[in-house]
Amino acid sequence: MKISILLSALLILSGCAVKKTAVTNASSAFVKGADIGWLPQMEATGYKFYNNSGKEEDCFKILKDHGINTVRLRTWVNPSDDKISGHCSTEETVAMAIRAKKWGMRIMIDLHYSDSWADPSKQKKPKAWEGHDFPGLLTDVYTYTLGVMNALKKEGVYPEWVQVGNETAEGMIYPEGSTSNWGQLAQLINKGYQAVKDVSPASKVILHVDQGNNNKRFRTWFDNAAAHGAKYDVIGLSYYPYWLEGKPDYTLSINDLSANLNDMAARFHKEVMVVEVGNEDNKVQNTYDMLLAVMQKVKEVPQHQGLGVLYWEPEGARSWSHYDLSAWGNDGKPSEALDAFLKFK
């Protein structure tokens, strides 16, 4: 009888050990990161990256040499092959995650649940999901999320964080997942959450809202999330002074960002992270100063609940992307603004 009990206990413990997967390149260090979803397209079109000395190098190495320890990779369901608004399929994202793992980077996966950009102005459902009833969409979210996670697992990659939706201030997978129907939105979120945890229980699920300086926006959204039982581990914020009305300098909103970070952590007892930040590439000193200020505000969140800061597409040079908020020069070299990540301790 005692042997039988002992064997049962060992089997239970063994099962627990199998279930507890360790995340890839886990660290307790402050997150200094970059979203680099454009990188494979840039490389495929022949764009060359150069270090500060003018030597051609792998973009991963350049970023790491500038203090970046984390990468964020977006994933679209059935994307086109458009240079700017396509790619980022599961297969491409897995290939990028493998590279990130080899470079010792921590990994965040950003699930858009769309075939292209999902943000506050648009959350179009994937074409393959059109016409599905709501129970069907719940299955779609679970199956797709599980597929991405299993594809990563197959390559030995367990992301430290997974975003269920991108900048979902008005919801996701319109119209069924709009915030006008929070009950359904919460169910969709929870299907994504469940799929992530079924493959990688240690991965933390992020819910992400834009305008990180707007406390009313965040209280309203996360109060509703709580009221409807939405499951998550981390509150993700975007912070782009450039996209605020009038394009005010960051110094006019940085204290509001700080207050919101502190309020979210205290109100919901969650870790917080600025998962997107950016500023004009031709204002190098201003961007450098802004990055230092944002990192400091996140680090000051009490009880170590402020995890870190990620720049959105720093490598996405304007000469290639026509995007104004990268941190890269037209000479193929990183802007001195990125040195803020090295400076910050």
Side-chain angles (χ1 to χ4, degrees):
M1 180 65 71
K2 288 182 180 179
I3 293 174
S4 175
I5 292 171
L6 179 60
L7 286 172
S8 296
L10 286 172
L11 285 170
I12 291 170
L13 287 172
S14 175
C16 290
V18 170
K19 198 170 184 180
K20 289 183 180 177
T21 52
V23 298
T24 299
N25 297 331
S27 171
S28 60
F30 189 82
V31 172
K32 296 188 279 189
D35 185 305
I36 54 172
W38 270 330
L39 179 57
Q41 288 82 261
M42 295 181 77
E43 292 174 333
T45 55
Y47 188 91
K48 304 296 184 184
F49 294 91
Y50 300 93
N51 63 21
N52 290 348
S53 300
K55 179 183 177 182
E56 184 180 341
E57 281 186 338
D58 188 319
C59 185
F60 272 94
K61 183 177 190 309
I62 297 171
L63 291 171
K64 190 166 185 176
D65 286 346
H66 281 78
I68 301 295
N69 59 26
T70 302
V71 295
R72 179 176 184 253
L73 306 168
R74 62 178 167 271
T75 305
W76 292 331
V77 178
N78 291 305
S80 72
D81 61 359
D82 182 86
K83 185 179 82 169
I84 303 298
S85 300
H87 296 267
C88 298
S89 65
T90 297
E91 293 75 19
E92 286 186 336
T93 299
V94 170
M96 285 285 286
I98 293 169
R99 288 174 67 182
K101 179 182 178 181
K102 289 178 179 177
W103 279 103
M105 299 284 200
R106 301 160 76 182
I107 299 166
M108 180 187 298
I109 301 297
D110 179 13
L111 301 168
H112 281 230
Y113 298 113
S114 183
D115 292 334
S116 189
W117 305 108
D119 55 47
S121 66
K122 54 191 177 297
Q123 292 280 343
K124 186 177 181 181
K125 70 174 60 132
K127 187 173 181 59
W129 301 1
E130 291 178 0
H132 293 189
D133 59 15
F134 185 66
L137 289 175
L138 291 173
T139 300
D140 291 333
V141 168
Y142 180 82
T143 302
Y144 170 68
T145 306
L146 193 74
V148 173
M149 294 300 297
N150 276 327
L152 291 163
K153 176 184 176 181
K154 184 179 178 182
E155 300 298 335
V157 176
Y158 296 89
E160 193 161 349
W161 306 275
V162 180
Q163 273 192 221
V164 171
N166 186 73
E167 290 190 329
T168 54
E170 305 297 330
M172 64 185 192
I173 311 173
Y174 290 168
E176 291 83 357
S178 165
T179 51
S180 62
N181 191 337
W182 251 105
Q184 291 193 168
L185 174 57
Q187 290 180 63
L188 291 166
I189 289 170
N190 289 348
K191 281 296 182 181
Y193 179 96
Q194 179 186 347
V196 172
K197 300 293 185 175
D198 281 350
V199 177
S200 181
S203 296
K204 295 180 180 180
V205 171
I206 299 174
L207 297 184
H208 172 208
V209 175
D210 66 315
Q211 296 183 27
N213 56 296
N214 188 336
N215 183 244
K216 181 179 179 181
R217 187 180 187 85
F218 274 74
R219 278 198 171 200
T220 298
W221 202 93
F222 283 97
D223 279 349
N224 272 302
H228 291 90
K231 298 177 181 178
Y232 65 100
D233 304 303
V234 179
I235 293 175
L237 306 85
S238 289
Y239 178 62
Y240 293 101
Y242 180 83
W243 295 119
L244 301 178
E245 186 176 355
K247 297 179 171 45
D249 188 73
Y250 81 89
T251 54
L252 300 178
S253 58
I254 189 69
N255 288 335
D256 291 333
L257 171 67
S258 177
N260 190 36
L261 288 164
N262 291 334
D263 184 55
M264 290 298 100
R267 187 178 182 87
F268 300 106
H269 308 289
K270 300 288 186 181
E271 294 172 319
V272 293
M273 183 189 302
V274 175
V275 297
E276 290 189 24
V277 70
N279 197 39
E280 292 167 276
D281 58 5
N282 58 4
K283 295 183 177 178
V284 175
Q285 186 62 50
N286 187 259
T287 300
Y288 175 94
D289 294 341
M290 182 202 70
L291 278 173
L292 286 179
V294 173
M295 286 188 280
Q296 186 61 40
K297 295 302 185 184
V298 174
K299 193 167 187 178
E300 288 173 356
V301 175
Q303 300 177 357
H304 306 288
Q305 288 180 291
L307 299 182
V309 176
L310 294 91
Y311 202 102
W312 196 86
E313 297 285 9
E315 88 300 350
R318 190 194 300 228
S319 59
W320 182 89
S321 67
H322 306 293
Y323 176 61
D324 296 348
L325 308 186
S326 79
W328 222 262
N330 290 334
D331 57 1
K333 298 179 184 180
S335 158
E336 291 180 3
L338 273 192
D339 292 343
F341 286 114
L342 279 176
K343 173 74 173 178
F344 189 80
K345 303 296 182 184

